[in-house]
Amino acid sequence: MATNVRNIQQKLFRSDSYGTQTPSESPKPDNPLTISIPETVTPLPKIGRPSEPNGSPASNENGPRFYRERHWKRWGPYVSDRQWATVREDYSGDGDAWAHFPHEHARSRTYRWGEDGIAGISDNHQRLCFSLALWNENDRMLKERLFGVSGPQGNHGEDYPQKAYPYEDLVRENQHRSREVVEFEILDTDVFDKDRYWDVFVELWFPNSWSWAIPPPPRPNLVATTNNRITATHDKFGKTHLYCFPSPPPVGPDGQPVNDGVNGEEESVEPELLFTENDTNFMRCFHDHIIPAHRLPVHQSVDGRSKANSNGKEHNSSGSDSDSGRATPVPQHGVQFVNPERTGTKSAAHYTFRNVPGRGGCAVVRLKLTPTTPQKDPTLEDEGLFDEVIEERRVEADEFYHNLTQGYVSDDLRAIMRQALAGMLWTKQYYKFIANEWLEGDPAQPRPPPSRKFLRGNKDWTHLYASDILSMPDKWEYPYFAAWDSAFHCIPLAVVDPAFAKKQLDLLTREWYMKPDGQIPAYEWNFSDVNPPVHAWATFRVFKIERKLYGREDVPFLERVFQKLLLNFTWWVNRKDADGANVFEGGFLGLDNIGLFNRSEPLPTGGTLRQADGTAWMAFYCLNMLSMALELAKHNSVYEDIASKFFEAADILSQHFIFIADAMTYHSGHDEFSLWNERDGMYYDAIQWGDYSMQMPVRSLVGLIPLYATLTLEPSVVNRFPGFKKRMDWFIENRPEVSGRNMANMKVRGRGERFLLALASKERLVSILEKMLDESEFFSEHGIRSLSKLHKDHPWGMEVNGQRHESKSGMFGGNSNWRGPIWLAVNFLLIESLQRFHQYYGDELQVECPTGSGEYMNLCQVAEEIQHRIIHIFGRDIHGRRAFNGGNQKLDFDPFFRDYVCFYEYFHGDDGRGLGASHQTGWSGLVAYHILQSGASCRLPKTPRTPRSLAHHYFDETIDSRSEYGDDVHSLMSAFSASDLNTLGDVSPDAL
C-alpha cells in the first residue's frame, strides 16, 4: 500500500517538500537561540524568508530542484470564501469587524488584504484571481461571493438557489432565536422546493494593489484579445490568457439537449466578455449613506470619472443605487460600469443558459488559464483533447484515493474519507496580514482611528508578516489561521500532502510569525490569546506519518522546529507559570463554552484560576518534546557524538515533566491543595485566594485532558542512551515523593519491559475512564462529550455579584452547556492516549465499556470503539440517515444531497447533528484518519456491537491477533502489519 500511494503521489505531485531556496535567493539567518543546541554535520536547509524586489519579506514560491520543473502549487484554491468582516479589513475605532465591513458593502468596496469568491482560484501570491459568479434573474445583486449571517446573527454560510435568495429572512429569524434553539437554515425556507438551483459569470480579476501606496504601483491590465480570450498582463508574471470556449447547450437528466437551434441543430452558448475596474464605488458607499460615518466628498471630473480626494482612489464605475443601496446600482451621469473598450482590471465571461432542467439537468463550461497559445497547446482548439486531460486527472485522483485504503472499507466510508481529505486540500488559502502596515494605515487612505491600536492583543505583533498559503479552519466561517487548529489539520494533511503539512508547522515558528520571546500567534482576532500547546505533538506525528506512509524521515524538519519550540516552551514556563510553581493558567485553552467563566479574561470572583487542564497541557508538551529529543538522538550522529549536552537537554525536559506532574498538587503558604478530587475520582479546576482554595466540581474535558500526558518508552530506546537512563533512574530513586505522587509509578515496568511517563496512575486512569465511558455522562453514541450529561439535571454554577455564571457566552458558539458538544480534535487526542496506555498495560488492563454494560475491553479496543462512534456521525445508518444532518429529510434522502458530507465545527452530544461552522473541514477532517486507521472494522451506525469477549488484542511493532470480524476483515489490532493492510493501523510506540 505504501509503495502504491508513494508512486501515485509522485506521479501527481512530483514533489516531497516545500521550502528550499532558488539559487538566486538569499535567505535570512534564523535568530540565535539562547538554548545551547549542538550543530549538525550536514547543515540544515535554510528556509529564511526570501526578498521581493523591494526588499520586503515574501513567500517562497519555489521548492526543491526536481520540484521546480513543474511548479504545480503556484495555482490553487487559494481564494477565501469570505474576506468581508475579517479583522484584516477592519479599520474601525471599536473593533466591530462585522459592522465595519458587512456583506452589504462587499460588492461595492475593494479589499485591502485579500479577495473572496465562489470556488475561487489564484496564484500563490494572489496577484490574479479567478472564480464563478451566478445570477438567478431574481436577486438584487450578482452572486459573486457567499452570503451568511454575521457572528452575532448565527455565523453561517449558504447554499444558492435559483429562486430569490432570502437574505433578510435569514438575518431576521436568527436574530430572534435564543442560543438554545437550532439555527434557522436556508433549507428551512422554501427556496429549494422545486429543485431549481442561471446566468453564469466566470470572473477574472486583479486584486486592488494600486489604491494604498503613494506613488501607486503599476496598474495591471485585462483586455479582450479575441471574442473568446482575455489576456492578463502583470509586471510580476508577464502575460497569461483565459480561454473561454463556447459551451454546448444544456442537457436534461437523459443527456438530451433541451434547446434545439435552427433545423433542430444544437446551438452553442457563446460567452460575452465584460470588463470593469476593481475599484470602490464611492457614490454608492459614501454618497448614498451605505457607510454614513465615512461619507467623503466626491467630485465629478470632466471625463466623467469620480474621484475621492481624501484617499487618492479613483475608479471608472461610480454611480448611485436607485433605492439608496438596496438594488443593483444604475449608472448615472453617463458613467458606465462596463467598459465598451473591453479592458480593465476586472473581467467576466458571461454565459447564459436557458431552460436548464431541474433534478439532473446539466450545463458545461470549458475554461483554461494558461500562458501558452493554441499553436503550443492543442487542447485549446480541440475540446476532445481538453476533456481527455480532465478525465486523466480524474482517474489519477480516483486511483490515489483508492490506494489509501486496502482491505474492505465500505464505499460510503471511502467517500467520506475522500471528501474530508479533499476538503482539507481545498481549504488552503492565501493569507496576507502585515501587522505594522495594518496598524498604521496606508499612505493613500485616511489615517485609522488611534483607538484601534489598543482594541485587541495585536499591537504587540508589529513584526508579524504573513504572506503565505495557509490551512484555514474554514474559508467562510473562519477565513484566518488559528494556531492550534492548524496543528490538527496537519494530521490528515500529512496523509495526502506531507510537504504542505510540514510547511504549516514550520511557518508558525518562523521569526515573521513567532514573537522574539517565543510566543506563537493564536489567531487574528487576538494574536496574544493562549491556545493549547499542541505544536510539538503535531510536528512529531507528521514526521512519523510521513515515515510510515512514504518511507521518508525528514530529520532536518524535525530538528528545525524542535529548536524553535524550545523558545516557545521557555515562553510558556516564564509567562504562564505565574508563581513559578509549575501550575499553568491563562487563556481559554480551547475549552469553548464548557466552563463557568471566560478564561481569557480576569475572574469575576477575583483570585487565581488553577487550571488542571493548563498544567496537563504543559505535561503533554514536555513529553512530546522529550520524544522529539530522543528521536533526534537516534537519527543525528552529532547529537550522539556530544551526548552529554543532548542528555542534559533531554534530562531537563523529563524533569520538567516530573515537576509539572507534581504541581497537580500545589502549595499556598504552608498548605497543600490538589487538583485531584479523591471522592469523585476526577481532576477539577480550582480558584485560589491567598491561603484559601476551592475546587469547582464541573465534570468536563478539564478532568479528561490529564490523560493526554502519557508516553511509553521502549527499553531499547532508554538503553541506547545510558546517560539519560542514569539520570532518570537517579530521580526515581532519590525523589520518590515527587516521582510517585501525581503520576504513574515509574519504577514498574510494563508489557515488554516498557517505561511509562504519565500524569494518571493506573488507579486514577481507571477512575476517570469509569466516568468517561458512562453513557449517562461523557460517552455519547458519537464520541466523548466535552461536558458530562450529568449537568443536564444537575447544573453547577456560581453566583457572583448577583449574576449566575454558567458560560453561555455568545463568543463560543451558543451551544447550551449540558449537551456537552463533541469536538473531534480533543477526541483524537484521547484516542491516541488510550492507545499509548495500551502499549504499556497491554491486555492486563481491562475496563467496562460502556460503563455498566458488563463488557470489558482493553484500552486499544476502547480507543477503536470511540473511533467508530465518531465515524458514525458521518456514516449512513441502516435507515439511510446521517447523524450530522439532524434528521433533515432532503439532506438524507434527496439523490442530489444525500452523498455530500458536511464537516461541522462540532456535534451535538445527544444526536450527533452538526453545530457551529457548517462546512469546517478543518479539524473535523480528522475523521479521514479514523477511517484509514479503523474503518475496515467499523460497523454500520445504529447496529449492535459484536461482543469482544473472545478478542485478545496484543501488539508491539506489529499487531498479532485477528479481528472479531473474521479472517477477511481486520480491526485496528489485526494480524496484518501496517504495510500489509494500512500503515496508519500501526499503533506501536514507533508509530505514535
Side-chain angles (χ1 to χ4, degrees):
M1 173 268 182
T3 301
N4 289 340
V5 172
R6 184 157 55 247
N7 290 341
I8 295 166
Q9 194 198 45
Q10 289 171 353
K11 179 181 178 183
L12 284 172
F13 298 165
R14 301 173 177 90
S15 167
D16 68 354
S17 65
Y18 282 80
T20 57
Q21 304 293 314
T22 61
S24 62
E25 292 168 337
S26 300
K28 292 182 179 180
D30 290 341
N31 292 333
L33 299 174
T34 57
I35 302 171
S36 178
I37 299 294
E39 296 293 331
T40 57
V41 172
T42 304
L44 297 178
K46 295 182 179 180
I47 314 208
R49 207 169 185 78
S51 295
E52 290 183 323
N54 62 4
S56 62
S59 294
N60 183 10
E61 290 188 13
N62 301 302
R65 187 178 305 277
F66 62 88
Y67 161 64
R68 289 197 301 272
E69 181 182 345
R70 290 194 177 185
H71 188 9
W72 66 272
K73 290 184 178 178
R74 176 165 291 161
W75 295 90
Y78 305 146
V79 177
S80 176
D81 288 346
R82 175 175 66 84
Q83 182 69 13
W84 55 274
T86 59
V87 170
R88 284 155 287 158
E89 302 295 339
D90 178 18
Y91 283 80
S92 69
D94 59 4
D96 189 347
W98 291 98
H100 178 73
F101 204 136
H103 179 268
E104 183 67 16
H105 298 183
R107 73 180 191 268
S108 303
R109 290 173 66 184
T110 55
Y111 294 126
R112 171 63 176 89
W113 295 104
E115 295 294 320
D116 59 21
I118 300 173
I121 295 170
S122 78
D123 64 286
N124 61 343
H125 286 288
Q126 205 157 100
R127 295 165 178 146
L128 182 63
C129 299
F130 168 89
S131 74
L132 292 178
L134 304 170
W135 190 46
N136 54 19
E137 300 188 356
N138 290 294
D139 281 344
R140 55 187 169 87
M141 67 184 78
L142 185 67
K143 179 65 64 175
E144 296 180 278
R145 58 189 51 83
L146 299 176
F147 173 74
V149 291
S150 69
Q153 296 163 348
N155 194 29
H156 274 296
E158 61 155 346
D159 296 301
Y160 188 51
Q162 198 164 346
K163 199 171 181 179
Y165 193 82
Y167 293 96
E168 291 77 13
D169 291 347
L170 286 172
V171 172
R172 182 171 54 252
E173 181 61 30
N174 277 297
Q175 283 179 327
H176 293 161
R177 293 194 175 192
S178 74
R179 299 195 180 279
E180 279 68 39
V181 179
V182 177
E183 292 90 348
F184 184 66
E185 304 277 10
I186 190 171
L187 287 173
D188 296 323
T189 70
D190 64 353
V191 295
F192 283 102
D193 285 356
K194 294 184 179 180
D195 292 305
R196 299 186 67 87
Y197 302 56
W198 28 138
D199 285 17
V200 177
F201 296 79
V202 180
E203 297 189 338
L204 184 72
W205 75 98
F206 289 110
N208 187 317
S209 60
W210 50 86
S211 293
W212 324 109
I214 297 176
R219 184 181 285 230
N221 184 57
L222 297 165
V223 63
T225 46
T226 72
N227 287 333
N228 297 97
R229 184 177 68 190
I230 300 170
T231 297
T233 304
H234 192 286
D235 65 328
K236 290 292 196 305
F237 61 73
K239 287 186 178 182
T240 193
H241 313 282
L242 178 65
Y243 292 87
C244 311
F245 305 99
S247 288
V251 298
D254 58 359
Q256 296 302 311
V258 296
N259 300 323
D260 289 336
V262 180
N263 299 324
E265 294 188 7
E266 301 176 8
E267 288 187 353
S268 62
V269 178
E270 293 283 347
E272 178 187 8
L273 302 187
L274 307 173
F275 293 82
T276 188
E277 297 294 337
N278 185 21
D279 283 307
T280 295
N281 183 340
F282 286 96
M283 288 294 291
R284 178 174 189 269
C285 290
F286 304 116
H287 184 271
D288 291 328
H289 304 279
I290 299 301
I291 314 174
H294 299 79
R295 184 173 179 176
L296 300 175
V298 178
H299 304 285
Q300 193 73 21
S301 65
V302 176
D303 62 0
R305 296 185 179 184
S306 290
K307 295 185 178 181
N309 294 337
S310 61
N311 67 3
K313 292 193 345 184
E314 65 176 38
H315 59 100
N316 299 332
S317 55
S318 66
S320 62
D321 292 0
S322 59
D323 60 348
S324 298
R326 295 190 177 184
T328 302
V330 177
Q332 294 182 357
H333 308 297
V335 180
Q336 298 295 318
F337 288 106
V338 176
N339 188 340
E341 301 298 323
R342 300 209 300 177
T343 185
T345 51
K346 185 172 184 178
S347 62
H350 177 200
Y351 292 80
T352 302
F353 295 99
R354 304 192 183 282
N355 305 318
V356 181
R359 303 192 65 80
C362 179
V364 174
V365 176
R366 292 182 178 89
L367 304 150
K368 188 165 186 176
L369 184 67
T370 176
T372 62
T373 62
Q375 290 73 28
K376 296 180 179 180
D377 184 354
T379 65
L380 296 175
E381 294 185 326
D382 188 330
E383 66 180 33
L385 292 176
F386 183 102
D387 292 350
E388 286 179 11
V389 172
I390 298 295
E391 185 60 26
E392 186 178 334
R393 297 291 90 78
R394 188 197 309 274
V395 170
E396 287 175 347
D398 290 344
E399 185 182 357
F400 174 76
Y401 284 109
H402 178 79
N403 279 279
L404 286 176
T405 56
Q406 297 292 317
Y408 178 77
V409 177
S410 71
D411 290 341
D412 186 47
L413 294 190
R414 285 178 184 270
I416 295 167
M417 177 206 71
R418 180 168 180 171
Q419 289 181 60
L421 294 174
M424 298 299 303
L425 296 174
W426 184 260
T427 50
K428 296 179 180 183
Q429 178 185 309
Y430 175 71
Y431 181 88
K432 185 174 184 180
F433 195 177
I434 305 171
N436 190 53
E437 292 183 14
W438 176 78
L439 286 166
E440 297 297 330
D442 296 298
Q445 297 296 313
R447 184 172 293 278
S451 59
R452 66 192 296 274
K453 291 186 178 182
F454 307 99
L455 294 173
R456 299 186 175 92
N458 294 353
K459 64 182 176 64
D460 299 324
W461 293 81
T462 55
H463 72 287
L464 190 138
Y465 195 115
S467 179
D468 297 286
I469 305 302
L470 299 179
S471 177
M472 298 294 116
D474 179 281
K475 284 167 49 170
W476 194 94
E477 318 278 358
Y478 303 110
Y480 46 82
F481 78 89
W484 94 297
D485 293 62
S486 297
F488 291 102
H489 300 177
C490 290
I491 304 306
L493 278 169
V495 175
V496 291
D497 194 350
F500 182 71
K502 290 184 294 183
K503 181 69 172 178
Q504 300 302 288
L505 296 165
D506 190 22
L507 270 175
L508 291 184
T509 63
R510 304 302 290 177
E511 58 269 27
W512 50 88
Y513 284 87
M514 178 186 278
K515 285 178 69 174
D517 63 6
Q519 186 177 9
I520 293 174
Y523 46 87
E524 70 174 29
W525 285 88
N526 185 357
F527 288 130
S528 295
D529 207 346
V530 183
N531 283 174
V534 293
H535 213 83
W537 164 78
T539 298
F540 202 30
R541 291 299 288 117
V542 168
F543 171 83
K544 287 191 170 186
I545 290 169
E546 184 180 31
R547 179 170 65 185
K548 271 292 177 188
L549 287 180
Y550 300 103
R552 298 189 295 259
E553 289 186 331
D554 194 345
V555 178
F557 154 74
L558 188 67
E559 186 172 8
R560 184 170 60 249
V561 178
F562 176 78
Q563 292 185 16
K564 290 301 185 71
L565 287 176
L566 286 174
L567 278 178
N568 180 248
F569 184 85
T570 303
W571 174 83
W572 270 91
V573 171
N574 292 338
R575 297 295 299 274
K576 304 316 296 182
D577 179 16
D579 299 326
N582 295 303
V583 179
F584 296 84
E585 68 277 334
F588 79 101
L589 286 177
L591 296 187
D592 290 7
N593 214 32
I594 63 169
L596 298 185
F597 309 110
N598 182 348
R599 302 199 301 179
S600 294
E601 298 176 356
L603 293 176
T605 61
T608 301
L609 183 64
R610 298 298 189 180
Q611 297 175 209
D613 59 308
T615 304
W617 280 119
M618 278 304 292
F620 176 68
Y621 195 177
C622 278
L623 292 182
N624 282 294
M625 291 293 282
L626 177 58
S627 294
M628 293 169 70
L630 292 173
E631 181 68 31
L632 287 170
K634 289 193 299 180
H635 295 276
N636 191 313
S637 60
V638 174
Y639 279 99
E640 296 175 359
D641 291 341
I642 47 177
S644 59
K645 288 187 178 180
F646 174 76
F647 293 143
E648 180 182 353
D651 186 40
I652 289 170
L653 290 170
S654 63
Q655 290 190 36
H656 265 303
F657 168 73
I658 291 169
F659 285 123
I660 288 172
D662 188 52
M664 298 297 272
T665 297
Y666 61 94
H667 300 267
S668 178
H670 298 291
D671 296 321
E672 186 175 83
F673 302 98
S674 179
L675 301 178
W676 173 258
N677 187 299
E678 197 66 47
R679 183 193 64 188
D680 293 353
M682 285 288 288
Y683 288 103
Y684 294 134
D685 281 347
I687 303 178
Q688 181 184 352
W689 299 271
D691 294 337
Y692 175 73
S693 181
M694 181 190 75
Q695 284 188 343
M696 294 185 293
V698 177
R699 294 192 181 181
S700 71
L701 281 173
V702 165
L704 306 182
I705 287 173
L707 299 184
Y708 296 168
T710 175
L711 172 66
T712 300
L713 294 177
E714 292 284 3
S716 59
V717 173
V718 176
N719 294 332
R720 183 172 183 172
F721 307 116
F724 173 70
K725 182 178 184 298
K726 181 179 179 180
R727 288 178 174 88
M728 186 173 69
D729 290 343
W730 182 92
F731 201 92
I732 293 171
E733 292 296 329
N734 291 276
R735 299 294 301 275
E737 76 283 2
V738 175
S739 62
R741 180 164 60 174
N742 286 307
M743 63 188 74
N745 190 338
M746 295 173 63
K747 290 185 177 181
V748 179
R749 301 287 188 94
R751 183 175 182 272
E753 293 298 300
R754 288 172 178 147
F755 297 86
L756 178 66
L757 294 174
L759 280 184
S761 65
K762 183 177 181 179
E763 294 72 24
R764 289 186 179 182
L765 171 64
V766 171
S767 178
I768 292 171
L769 291 181
E770 182 181 358
K771 267 75 72 177
M772 190 182 91
L773 300 177
D774 189 335
E775 292 181 321
S776 65
E777 289 212 36
F778 289 97
F779 206 23
S780 163
E781 289 185 9
H782 305 97
I784 303 298
R785 302 169 181 271
S786 55
L787 189 74
S788 172
K789 195 173 181 179
L790 173 76
H791 293 302
K792 176 183 179 181
D793 299 320
H794 304 283
W796 198 88
M798 289 183 68
E799 294 283 347
V800 181
N801 299 323
Q803 180 180 358
R804 183 170 179 82
H805 287 263
E806 294 185 22
S807 185
K808 294 185 181 181
S809 165
M811 177 181 178
F812 298 134
N815 187 39
S816 64
N817 276 357
W818 67 262
R819 295 171 184 160
I822 296 163
W823 300 80
L824 264 63
V826 291
N827 270 258
F828 191 90
L829 292 178
L830 281 171
I831 289 165
E832 286 205 340
S833 299
L834 292 173
Q835 292 169 344
R836 286 193 296 271
F837 273 119
H838 183 70
Q839 294 167 359
Y840 177 80
Y841 289 112
D843 207 41
E844 171 194 340
L845 179 57
Q846 304 259 335
V847 295
E848 198 174 19
C849 181
T851 300
S853 67
E855 185 177 345
Y856 285 81
M857 302 180 185
N858 67 40
L859 298 188
C860 205
Q861 293 169 337
V862 172
E864 188 182 53
E865 177 62 23
I866 298 172
Q867 282 184 315
H868 290 174
R869 292 188 180 211
I870 289 171
I871 293 171
H872 291 171
I873 294 173
F874 305 92
R876 186 179 285 120
D877 66 19
I878 56 175
H879 305 295
R881 292 194 177 276
R882 301 185 190 274
F884 71 83
N885 284 332
N888 186 285
Q889 193 80 1
K890 189 175 192 67
L891 295 178
D892 279 332
F893 299 113
D894 189 295
F896 299 102
F897 283 84
R898 66 189 180 196
D899 294 326
Y900 295 106
V901 178
C902 288
F903 299 89
Y904 284 81
E905 184 179 2
Y906 51 100
F907 302 88
H908 195 289
D910 286 351
D911 54 29
R913 76 171 178 269
L915 298 169
S918 58
H919 41 87
Q920 182 174 349
T921 315
W923 57 29
S924 294
L926 287 165
V927 69
Y929 195 92
H930 292 316
I931 292 171
L932 287 166
Q933 194 172 70
S934 68
S937 61
C938 186
R939 66 188 184 278
L940 282 174
K942 298 187 181 298
T943 57
R945 189 173 56 252
T946 303
R948 297 174 181 265
S949 57
L950 300 179
H952 299 281
H953 299 307
Y954 294 87
F955 63 92
D956 193 315
E957 296 301 315
T958 56
I959 303 167
D960 56 12
S961 66
R962 291 187 179 276
S963 161
E964 69 195 58
Y965 293 85
D967 293 338
D968 298 325
V969 181
H970 298 270
S971 76
L972 176 66
M973 293 71 64
S974 73
F976 280 60
S977 71
S979 59
D980 291 328
L981 178 59
N982 190 318
T983 55
L984 297 182
D986 183 0
V987 289
S988 67
D990 185 57
L992 291 179

